[in-house]
Amino acid sequence: MNRIAKISLLAFSVSFTGSAWALSPPNINTDIPWTDTGGVSNPSAGVFDATFNGVADIAEAFNHARRQEEIQRGLAVNMLGNLNLPSQIDWDNMTDDAKALMILNAERIDRVDIGGNIREYGFAGIESHIDNITKIYGDVLHDSDATGHSADGNTPFGRIDQNADIGVNALGAGSDCHEFINRAENLAYFATTGSSIPLPLERAIYGWIYADSGSNWGHREAALLQDIPLSGQAGWGFKDNNGETHAEGFLGIYVRSSPDYKPFPSFASNYAALVVMNIFDPVASPTSCHYNVTLDDLSVGGAEGKVPTLNVPVNTWAHIGLNTVPVTGSTVADIIGDDVTTGTYGTDWTVYRYDSTSNAYFELTPTDPMLPGVGYWFMHVSSAVTIDMRGSSSGVHVTHTPACSSPEGCFEIPLQANAGVSQWQMIGYPFRDSRNMGQVKIVTDSGVCSAPAGCVFGDSDAVTMVHNELWHYNGSGYQTIDSSATINPWDAAWVSVLPAAEGLNPRMLLPASN
C-alpha cells in the first residue's frame, strides 16, 4: 500500500496586477492520475496497476498527462510535445538534481507555444546554497518524523532570508542576494508497508504539476512560475534580470528515503520518502553574491535550440571545442560517436588533439574523454556529420574572480608558456552562445597582467603575454579572431603564448555572459 501527502507552499496575494511581463501557464481542471506502461496509479480509488519501472514508465506517465492536459484545456493534440529522457543507464547515473532539473525544465519550456503571453523559461540551474537549504530542511523532516513547512520553527521564506550567502543581509545590513517571489517551497511524502518507494522524485514532480487539486494547484504554480504568478501580481514572480535570457531562477532539490522515516502517525508504514524543492530569484547584479551554480539549465525537452548543432561536411577537418559538459558520457564515442552513423573509428573518422608539452598531435581513442576548453580536430572521410551535445548536458564550471568581466563568472583556460619561444596551444570555446573577444581577460600571477585586474585581450599590456589574435580553421582556411571579433559555439582556436609569460602562470578568462 502506498500513500502520498502533499502540502502547499506559502503564498501571498494582493489586488494589483501588471501586464508587461510573461504570465505563468494556467492550471488544469482535475487531477490526472499517474498512468504508465503497467496501468493507472490512483490510491484514492484503490487502483494500483502502475509499475513505476524506470524511464519508460516516467516518459509514459508524463506524456499521457500532457495529452490529458491538452484535452482539459482545449489545446491541439501534441501541442505540449513529449518528454524525451536519456537511456536507463544514463538516467541511473544522474544525480537527483540533474533529473529534477531536466523534468521540471522540460515541463516549463514545452508550454511556450500554448497561447497568451506565456514565455515559459526554464530554471537557470541548481545553485549550491539553495540546494543546501533544501537538504538541511529535508533532514529535519526526516529526523523528526515531520511534515509541513515549519518543522524547524521557521518558514521557507525565513530559511532563505536568513541564509548567510543568499539572504537579506548576505552583503551586510539590507544588502540582499535574492529578489522577492511569492513561492519558495514544494514538499512531497510517500509511505508504504513494503520495503522501497520507486521513483519518489519523478512521482513528486508529476504530482506537483498534474495531480495537485487538493492543494489548489499551489505546487504546480511554484513548479511552473514565470514573471507573473497566476494571481496576477507583477513583480511577484521571477524578474528575469540575471544571467542568460532564456532561463530564470535557481533551484534546490533533496530526496531522502528510509525505513526510519514515519511521516504519517496514523499509517503504519515500513518505508517512506520525502522530496523537498526550494526556489529563489537571484539579484540583477550579483558580483559580490557568489552564486555557485553546480548544474545549469540544459534539460531534456528544452535543450534543443539552446545548444546549436555543428554541420561538418564530408572529408573536411572541423576545428571544434565543446560548449557544454555531458552529465553522463563524455568520451569521443559518447559525444561524437553517437552522431556518426557510418564507418569505423580510425579508418573513416577520427578525432585529434594537440599537446603543447610535446608540440605534437595525438589521435584520441573512442574511450578517451573530451573536455571543454580544449581544441580538437574532427573529420569523417566518407560522410557529412551533424554533431550535437547529448541531451543530458550542463554548462561548464565557472569561477568568480575580480578579473572576470561577467557577474556570472568566467571559464578559466590555463595557458602554457615557454622561455625563448612562442608556445602554440589549441583551445576550445566553452559556451553555447557567442562572445566578443574584447570581454576576455588575460591574467598572470605577477607582471603587467597580474591579478586581481588582469589585462583585456588585445590591449597593450596583454599583447606582451599573448598574441593579439586567435586563429580558427573554418573548413576552407584560417580566420583571425581579434579583440573586436566574436568567438562562437563549437569554435576551437590557436593561441600563441609569448615568452614573457613563462613562469607567470598565464590563463585566459572567458566570461559566462555578455
Side-chain angles (χ1 to χ4, degrees), residues 179-211:
E179 305 263 17
F180 173 78
I181 55 175
N182 75 331
R183 304 286 177 178
E185 183 172 274
N186 278 1
L187 301 174
Y189 321 90
F190 301 83
T192 180
T193 55
S195 58
S196 65
I197 302 287
L199 308 180
L201 173 64
E202 296 87 340
R203 290 162 66 190
I205 296 172
Y206 180 95
W208 293 334
I209 296 174
Y210 292 110

Side-chain angles (χ1 to χ4, degrees), residues 139-339:
D139 286 341
V140 169
L141 291 173
H142 176 277
D143 295 344
S144 58
D145 289 332
T147 60
H149 297 279
S150 57
D152 61 350
N154 207 335
T155 68
F157 298 102
R159 287 188 285 274
I160 296 172
D161 286 344
Q162 295 161 21
N163 182 267
D165 296 294
I166 62 174
V168 293
N169 296 317
L171 303 178
S175 298
D176 208 334
C177 276
H178 70 280
E179 305 263 17
F180 173 78
I181 55 175
N182 75 331
R183 304 286 177 178
E185 183 172 274
N186 278 1
L187 301 174
Y189 321 90
F190 301 83
T192 180
T193 55
S195 58
S196 65
I197 302 287
L199 308 180
L201 173 64
E202 296 87 340
R203 290 162 66 190
I205 296 172
Y206 180 95
W208 293 334
I209 296 174
Y210 292 110
D212 196 42
S213 63
S215 294
N216 199 29
W217 305 105
H219 299 92
R220 176 183 169 99
E221 292 178 19
L224 303 181
L225 179 67
Q226 293 292 313
D227 293 344
I228 299 178
L230 285 180
S231 49
Q233 299 87 357
W236 284 28
F238 293 111
K239 309 305 180 291
D240 193 21
N241 56 6
N242 176 284
E244 299 184 29
T245 57
H246 63 252
E248 51 187 346
F250 289 137
L251 176 70
I253 287 286
Y254 184 58
V255 181
R256 185 168 180 182
S257 302
S258 166
D260 300 323
Y261 181 43
K262 309 293 183 183
F264 308 119
S266 62
F267 179 69
S269 61
N270 293 324
Y271 197 88
L274 62 90
V275 183
V276 185
M277 181 189 96
N278 286 111
I279 57 176
F280 83 99
D281 192 15
V283 297
S285 301
T287 304
S288 300
C289 289
H290 296 173
Y291 302 132
N292 181 27
V293 181
T294 58
L295 190 68
D296 89 341
D297 68 303
L298 298 185
S299 62
V300 174
E304 294 81 2
K306 293 183 183 177
V307 180
T309 58
L310 179 68
N311 297 316
V312 181
V314 62
N315 202 33
T316 301
W317 283 110
H319 202 198
I320 64 172
L322 305 187
N323 45 57
T324 58
V325 180
V327 175
T328 60
S330 60
T331 67
V332 171
D334 293 324
I335 294 173
I336 296 182
D338 69 330
D339 300 316

Side-chain angles (χ1 to χ4, degrees), residues 459-496:
D459 74 10
S460 58
D461 288 327
V463 296
T464 65
M465 301 291 147
V466 175
H467 197 281
N468 66 344
E469 293 178 324
L470 305 181
W471 291 264
H472 168 68
Y473 186 75
N474 62 14
S476 58
Y478 278 101
Q479 64 184 71
T480 57
I481 303 174
D482 61 19
S483 60
S484 66
T486 58
I487 188 167
N488 301 308
W490 292 109
D491 281 357
W494 289 104
V495 57
S496 177

Side-chain angles (χ1 to χ4, degrees), residues 105 108-109 119-123 225-226 240 245-248:
N105 275 3
R108 293 168 63 84
I109 292 166
R119 182 166 51 196
E120 280 312 294
Y121 287 171
F123 289 115
L225 179 67
Q226 293 292 313
D240 193 21
T245 57
H246 63 252
E248 51 187 346

